[in-house]
Structures are given as C-alpha cells and as structure tokens.
Amino acid sequence: MRLFAIRDYRHLLGAQVIALFGTGLTTVALGLLAYDLAGPHAGTVLGTALTIKMVMYVVIAPLAAAYVDRLPRRALLVGLDVIRGAVVLALPLVSEVWHIYVLIGLLQAGSAAFTPTFQAVIPDIVTDESDYTRALSASQVASTMESLLSPVLAAVALTFMTFDRLFLGTSAGFLVSALLVLSTHIPDARPSTHTKAWDKAAAGIRTFLRTPRLRGIMTLNLVVAAAGSIVVVNTVNYVRDELGGSQSDVAWMLAASGTGTLLAALVLPRVLDRVAARTIMMTGAAVLVSGTTAAVTLIATGLATWTGTAIVWTVIGIGTALIITPTGKVLRASVGRNAIPEAFAAQFSLSHLAWLITYPIAGWLGTSAGFTLAWSVLAVLAGAGATGALLLWPRHDKPGVTTAPATLARHAPSKDRSTLSKAA
C-alpha cells in the first residue's frame, strides 16, 4: 500500500498505536483503581477524573494549536510522551482519591497538547488527498483496535497480575512512542495567518460556527459523548454490581464496544469513497440514539443480561465509528491547508466539551440517582444532538457547495482553494 511506503508516516502511526494501547490499559486500570478505593462510589470517582480530563482538553488544546507553529513539533511530541509516561508511572502509588485527580490532571494536560499537534503533522507528511483520507481511516482503525484489544489484553493480564501492574505497561508504551517519534523527520509548522495567540485559538471555533456542516459535527459530538459515557464511566459498576462480574469481565465488556467500533471502521474507508459523509454520520447518530435507548430499557426493566448488554455495547461502538471516522475528511474539506491545525484543535476541544457535559451525568447522577435516570438523561441528549445535526447540516450541502469562510479562502494557497469548494 502506497501510504505505508512513507517511512515517517509508518513510524508516527506506530507511535500512535503504542501510545494508544498504553492509554487503553490506563483506562481499564483507572476504573479498577477507582473501584478499589471507592467501591460503590467508583462511578463518581471515575466521572470526576474524566471530567478533569475534559477540562484540560477543552482549555489546553486550542492554546496548543495557537503556539504549535512556534515550537519544534518533533521535540514537543517526544517531550509530551516522556511526561505522560512519568505521570502514569506514579498512578499505582496513589492511596487517596485526590491523588488520582492531581495525576490525571497532569496526564491529560500532556495529552491535550499532544493530540492536536499529532493530527496537524499528518497532512504535512501525507500530502496526497486520497492517501490522506486513508491515513485518517488508518488512525481511526488504530484507535478502534486499541478499544478492542486493550480491554482484551487487560482481561488476560488480570488473570495473573493485579491491576496496578497495568500502569507499568502504559508508561512503557509512552516511552516507546517517544522513541518512534524521535526517529521521524517532522517538518516545522507553516506559519499561521493569525499573529495573536487568542486569534489562533479562536479561529477554528469561529470556522465551526460559520460552516453548516461543521455546526452539524458540533451536535454529533454530543451524540457520541452521550452514548460513550455510558460505556466508559458506568461499565465498571454495572458489570461488578448489577451483573456480579469480575475485574476481567469489566475488560471483556469494554471489548464488546471496541469490537463494534472496529468492525465499522474496517468497512468505512471503501464506503466513504461512494457514500456522502453526511449520510454515514447521520446513520451513526441514529444507531447511537437506538443504543442509548436500548441501554435504558435494559436497566429500567430489570432484564439486564450478559448477552443483552454485550449487544447494546457493540451497537454503541458501531455508531461511534460511523460518526468519528468521517470527521477528519469533513474538516479537511472545510478549511485551507494552513488552517488545518486550528480546525483539528477546535474539533478536539469541542468534542471534549461534549464529554465534559456527559461524564458528570454518567458518573455523579448515575451514582446518586441510579443508572435508569442517568442513562435516560443521556438518551435525551443523544436524541437532541441527532436532531440538531439534521437541522444544522443541510442535506443539500454537497460537493461543489462552498461553505468555508471567505477569509480562509483568501489565505489558502491556490492548491487548497479547489479543496475549499468541496464538501465531505
């Protein structure tokens, strides 16, 4: 495959995969650590930790995008990997809940700066349009493979070791990722058309607000977050307390959601060549609304079973991939090349702003009022997000319709102006 003939891309993708697996192990281990420290209140602890993560992402990602063109990007990525590896290494040592909150804040501050920088590097290395689309899909497949295999690896590991050892695997993953990034040649960022830091940070968000298809993506972010919060925050207590499962069972149930995401992501690259991104993403929204409704039905009727839960979790995974996978292609079609880092940083922040809304609902409301009420609220939010996307992203927004702001078109190189005229 021509894409993988690009050495720097291979190494960067490898770095992403390894770091993702480390992060996946951390997610499983963090949930079990919260249960170990807080028992029935693990959902509250995990919800709070993840809320801190979202605050860091929403605040720091735009600032990182604002300053990334002033820094050597390879050195920045390596440094952030090293910092994250060191922080994760300290997680097994915690003895109080507040220790988790402090370390998660530090860890996610690094991730919030790493992700938009990493995303902005790819189009500078993979310059062909079709190859770039496939690079986005490969990145999504890597993320979904992590969602599938990290819980499986964790389940296997937990049969012969305690969960705190999983943090060691995460730390090692970040360090290996740093070595792979160090082996690549990453060009310096192109200077942004904005000179002030706040202008750079806000430019991507302004683009979202002025572009119909991107406004639609903003509300689709809420659909993904509403459904995903049920899986990410509540699986630990749901499996341990409602289904009477073990630590390994928690990991296997998370793997069910990852399986759905993986299956969809493997099929989507070819489908995206023939079907409009809007159609696929709206289908994903419908799938996620159905999944959250089914989750509410399971818990409200008292009919929660292993098989039924695994099916619902898999459906949620499928719907998530249907929305997330085409997002990068839509972003690239909506801005000029110089504005790509700002657009990706804006999506990074806006998507995590949605999670900032839904994580506390799943964690705090789920613990205090029960899963039925919390999941019902999340199902309503998913439905509202899907409806908003249908209204904000017009059906007629097709190739040939220019919706990108005129200022971006003026600043874009001639090679990119043709791209600006294309919708995803």
Side-chain angles (χ1 to χ4, degrees):
M1 186 177 179
R2 185 175 58 182
L3 175 62
F4 292 99
I6 304 173
R7 176 185 177 276
D8 288 337
Y9 172 74
R10 288 200 313 271
H11 284 218
L12 282 174
L13 182 63
Q16 181 197 23
V17 170
I18 293 171
L20 281 171
F21 274 98
T23 303
L25 292 176
T26 297
T27 301
V28 176
L30 181 62
L32 296 174
L33 175 62
Y35 191 85
D36 189 57
L37 292 176
H41 299 287
T44 300
V45 175
L46 192 55
T48 302
L50 294 172
T51 298
I52 292 172
K53 170 183 175 179
M54 295 304 108
V55 170
M56 293 297 177
Y57 280 14
V58 170
V59 173
I60 292 178
L63 296 177
Y67 287 98
V68 72
D69 62 340
R70 304 181 187 181
L71 300 170
R73 294 189 291 183
R74 187 178 69 166
L76 177 61
L77 291 173
V78 170
L80 291 171
D81 263 340
V82 171
I83 291 171
R84 292 189 294 173
V87 170
V88 170
L89 201 59
L91 277 171
L93 305 177
V94 306
S95 57
E96 301 290 340
V97 169
W98 70 267
H99 295 165
I100 294 179
Y101 299 153
V102 172
L103 290 175
I104 287 299
L106 293 173
L107 175 68
Q108 301 307 336
S111 295
F114 184 95
T115 300
T117 305
F118 181 89
Q119 290 174 329
V121 164
I122 297 302
D124 288 335
I125 292 176
V126 182
T127 56
D128 180 79
E129 182 72 26
S130 60
D131 283 347
Y132 177 70
T133 299
R134 283 165 174 74
L136 292 174
S137 298
S139 181
Q140 179 60 32
V141 169
S143 298
T144 56
M145 285 293 288
E146 175 270 312
S147 299
L148 170 64
L149 296 180
S150 288
V152 174
L153 292 175
V156 172
L158 287 169
T159 61
F160 58 86
M161 69 172 64
T162 56
F163 69 84
D164 56 339
R165 297 290 183 87
L166 296 179
F167 290 117
L168 298 178
T170 302
S171 182
F174 283 127
L175 294 179
V176 173
S177 173
L179 291 175
L180 283 171
V181 173
L182 196 60
S183 71
T184 64
H185 172 72
I186 298 176
D188 291 335
R190 292 178 176 84
S192 172
T193 55
H194 305 282
T195 57
K196 296 181 180 179
W198 172 247
D199 287 342
K200 294 179 183 179
I205 294 176
R206 287 198 298 267
T207 300
F208 268 75
L209 295 175
R210 292 184 293 189
T211 307
R213 70 177 76 94
L214 299 186
R215 290 201 297 266
I217 286 179
M218 288 173 61
T219 62
L220 289 174
N221 289 335
L222 182 61
V223 183
V224 171
S229 292
I230 293 176
V231 173
V232 175
V233 177
N234 296 137
T235 296
V236 173
N237 279 114
Y238 180 77
V239 170
R240 297 297 301 272
D241 299 332
E242 296 290 333
L243 299 179
S246 65
Q247 291 183 356
S248 295
D249 292 329
V250 172
W252 286 113
M253 192 59 72
L254 290 170
S257 179
T259 299
T261 309
L262 175 64
L263 292 175
L266 288 174
V267 173
L268 278 176
R270 293 184 180 180
V271 176
L272 279 167
D273 290 336
R274 300 187 299 271
V275 181
R278 181 186 185 278
T279 300
I280 293 173
M281 296 173 79
M282 295 304 173
T283 301
V287 170
L288 288 180
V289 171
S290 300
T292 54
T293 302
V296 172
T297 302
L298 280 177
I299 195 68
T301 59
L303 299 177
T305 63
W306 287 100
T307 301
T309 302
I311 291 173
V312 172
W313 264 227
T314 302
V315 168
I316 290 175
I318 292 173
T320 298
L322 291 175
I323 292 178
I324 291 178
T325 303
T327 297
K329 184 178 180 181
V330 177
L331 289 177
R332 181 107 190 262
S334 303
V335 299
R337 179 176 290 273
N338 286 3
I340 286 176
E342 296 158 2
F344 272 97
Q347 166 59 10
F348 189 73
S349 287
L350 292 170
S351 63
H352 288 89
L353 179 60
W355 291 95
L356 180 57
I357 295 170
T358 60
Y359 273 153
I361 294 173
W364 303 339
L365 188 60
T367 300
S368 62
F371 291 148
T372 300
L373 178 59
W375 294 2
S376 296
V377 172
L378 292 170
V380 170
L381 289 177
T387 302
L390 286 170
L391 297 175
L392 294 172
W393 189 346
R395 186 184 297 272
H396 60 74
D397 185 23
K398 298 177 180 178
V401 179
T402 301
T403 54
T407 54
L408 287 174
R410 285 196 301 270
H411 288 297
S414 59
K415 177 181 177 181
D416 295 320
R417 287 177 186 157
S418 60
T419 303
L420 288 172
S421 65
K422 299 178 182 178

